[in-house]
Amino acid sequence: MSQLTDIMSEKCPKCGVGHVFSKKGNPLLFQIPKMNEHCSECGHKFEREPGYFFGSMYVSYALTIAEMVGVFIISRFIFGLSYVNIVIAIGIISFLLGAFNFRLSRMLWIYMFDGRHKQA
């Protein structure tokens, strides 16, 4: 449960104290999240090699698909929207959750391959 809390609060995978992101990003202002290069507490380098986060795109894709399915089910079966309105709702939700998906996918990727149980 501690790792899930650390992932959601975007803490360092090694020490659990330092923050991975310096800026959260805001899709309405067209700002993307900004990662710290190293942990401010333990000095752990987050991007171990060039292209390290390439795989996190697949995690982000899976998160987006899960969100789209959720929006489709809620829109269609609870609100009874037409398919055109569902596509519009999915587009809006995907755009608004873009920065969140970016951060969460990178955090999941870091914790999958660089968690506390791993050695530096």
Side-chain angles (χ1 to χ4, degrees):
M1 191 63 166
S2 173
Q3 278 193 342
L4 182 61
T5 306
D6 287 349
I7 289 171
M8 294 310 290
S9 58
E10 300 169 351
K11 301 285 186 178
C12 173
K14 290 295 181 187
C15 67
V17 179
H19 291 280
V20 175
F21 290 92
S22 58
K23 281 177 41 178
K24 300 279 187 188
N26 186 342
L28 297 176
L29 300 175
F30 300 104
Q31 296 173 344
I32 60 171
K34 174 93 169 99
M35 281 187 73
N36 291 321
E37 204 169 306
H38 295 86
C39 176
S40 60
E41 299 296 320
C42 67
H44 176 68
K45 186 174 181 181
F46 296 124
E47 188 170 1
R48 298 187 322 192
E49 61 190 21
Y52 176 68
F53 290 111
F54 182 74
S56 72
M57 291 189 306
Y58 297 107
V59 176
S60 179
Y61 177 74
L63 288 171
T64 303
I65 293 299
E67 291 163 359
M68 288 179 175
V69 168
V71 170
F72 175 80
I73 290 171
I74 290 169
S75 299
R76 185 68 183 156
F77 299 112
I78 294 177
F79 295 116
L81 296 178
S82 68
Y83 289 116
V84 172
N85 290 334
I86 291 172
V87 170
I88 292 169
I90 286 173
I92 290 170
I93 295 297
S94 296
F95 176 75
L96 292 177
L97 291 178
F100 173 76
N101 286 344
F102 178 85
R103 292 191 327 264
L104 183 59
S105 65
R106 285 193 174 210
M107 289 305 299
L108 289 171
W109 192 256
I110 287 174
Y111 272 82
M112 278 193 295
F113 295 105
D114 207 15
R116 281 192 215 156
H117 62 283
K118 306 284 185 190
Q119 295 297 322

